[in-house]
Amino acid sequence: MTIAENIHAIRARMADAAQRAGRDPKEILLIGASKMNDAAACQAAIAAGIDALGENRVQEMAAKLREHAYDGAPLHFIGHLQRNKARQVVGTAALIHSVSSLELLEEIGRLAERQGLVQDVLLEVNIGGEQSKSGFAPDVLRGAAERAAAIPHVRVRGLMAIPPIQREPHGNLPFFAKVARLYVDIGRDLYDNKFDYLSMGMSDDFEDAIAAGATMVRVGSAIFGHRQYQ
Ligand SMILES: *Cc1c(COP(=O)(O)O)cnc(C)c1O
């Protein structure tokens, strides 16, 4: 299967999942998680109509930018972001999915102000309470979101989450449902119903994420094939 064929097949599955949930398929964006895939693969995904590409590592993103990997589609940053690397991402990524602390968000705001822009971001929720993952714990998220709303030069557009790895089929559904509830409640109470991005779901579970309310799914291996880790 080519990248284009994979994207068409995933779009069809996304549309089915949306219809089953009584949702409009057009409100759900397909983000290609392109880590460890080269510029040619990124360009093939863009030619096939991917909505955006998401990168995980700043260094890899910078190298692929020089190769014009993302020309023709928005670039998102979806990986863990260190404060000292934020400078390379602010103003370059249309959306940063993975804001995991208020200190990072303040730094993003400072950098955006210097460039005279407003950076769109999502707050990452550590929905499984895992030590190994970054993100706001669910019980501190509301407080953080309230403070985030007052930070200039950033616009919080919603939430992102990566649930713990599950062995059971549909095991992520309860986690997706919890994130969706936080998204709806915080969006209504603190953001004037202006939240529009709920980023959750990957190759193995994007249909369940859509059932729970995702508006962005981040799909890697189902588009680009299995990654070769060294
Ligand atoms: C790699 C990655 C994905 C995609 O994972 P697949 O299982 O390959 O679809 C999604 N989100 C993030 C943050 C990732 O790092």
Side-chain angles (χ1 to χ4, degrees):
M1 293 273 275
T2 65
I3 287 171
E5 286 166 342
N6 288 338
I7 288 175
H8 293 245
I10 290 163
R11 290 268 193 212
R13 288 171 56 193
M14 288 171 65
D16 284 346
Q19 253 132 27
R20 280 195 301 275
R23 303 181 55 199
D24 180 356
K26 287 200 287 291
E27 74 187 26
I28 304 155
L29 301 177
L30 176 58
I31 316 302
S34 47
K35 61 175 174 276
M36 304 180 77
N37 287 280
D38 63 13
C42 293
Q43 279 297 306
I46 292 168
I50 200 101
D51 294 305
L53 288 170
E55 282 296 343
N56 281 72
R57 290 176 62 243
V58 173
Q59 210 182 337
E60 180 177 345
M61 183 190 84
K64 282 151 77 174
L65 273 167
R66 288 192 289 275
E67 298 174 321
H68 299 278
Y70 316 112
D71 288 6
L75 171 61
H76 291 183
F77 194 80
I78 63 175
H80 179 63
L81 182 57
Q82 289 166 304
R83 251 191 298 172
N84 62 2
K85 300 224 171 116
R87 187 174 47 79
Q88 288 167 268
V89 177
V90 171
T92 298
L95 181 67
I96 303 172
H97 290 230
S98 41
V99 172
S100 54
S101 73
L102 287 173
E103 292 73 26
L104 173 62
L105 191 60
E106 279 162 356
E107 177 67 7
I108 291 170
R110 275 192 290 276
L111 293 162
E113 181 174 17
R114 255 186 249 163
Q115 294 187 46
L117 54 85
V118 174
Q119 177 68 54
D120 281 345
V121 303
L122 307 179
L123 301 181
E124 181 172 353
V125 193
N126 187 352
I127 197 63
E130 295 171 283
Q131 289 288 327
S132 61
K133 288 212 177 93
S134 43
F136 295 94
D139 58 335
V140 304
L141 180 67
R142 176 178 284 263
E146 192 164 8
R147 289 175 57 195
I151 297 176
H153 292 273
V154 294
R155 180 167 50 208
V156 181
R157 305 226 10 200
L159 304 179
M160 180 271 226
I162 308 170
I165 292 170
Q166 300 297 313
R167 294 183 200 293
E168 310 287 310
H170 309 292
N172 280 339
L173 252 178
F175 292 98
F176 289 145
K178 272 189 216 167
V179 182
R181 164 114 340 251
L182 290 165
Y183 171 79
V184 169
D185 289 349
I186 292 173
R188 181 196 54 224
D189 297 346
L190 301 175
Y191 284 83
D192 217 7
N193 288 315
K194 292 218 172 70
F195 270 5
D196 50 359
Y197 294 149
L198 177 55
S199 169
M200 56 186 193
M202 315 201 295
S203 291
D204 291 334
D205 56 17
F206 65 85
E207 286 147 313
D208 285 339
I210 289 169
T215 72
M216 286 182 168
V217 295
R218 308 176 311 271
V219 178
S221 47
I223 293 175
F224 297 106
H226 283 287
R227 291 179 287 275
Q228 302 290 322
Y229 290 98
Q230 265 48 323

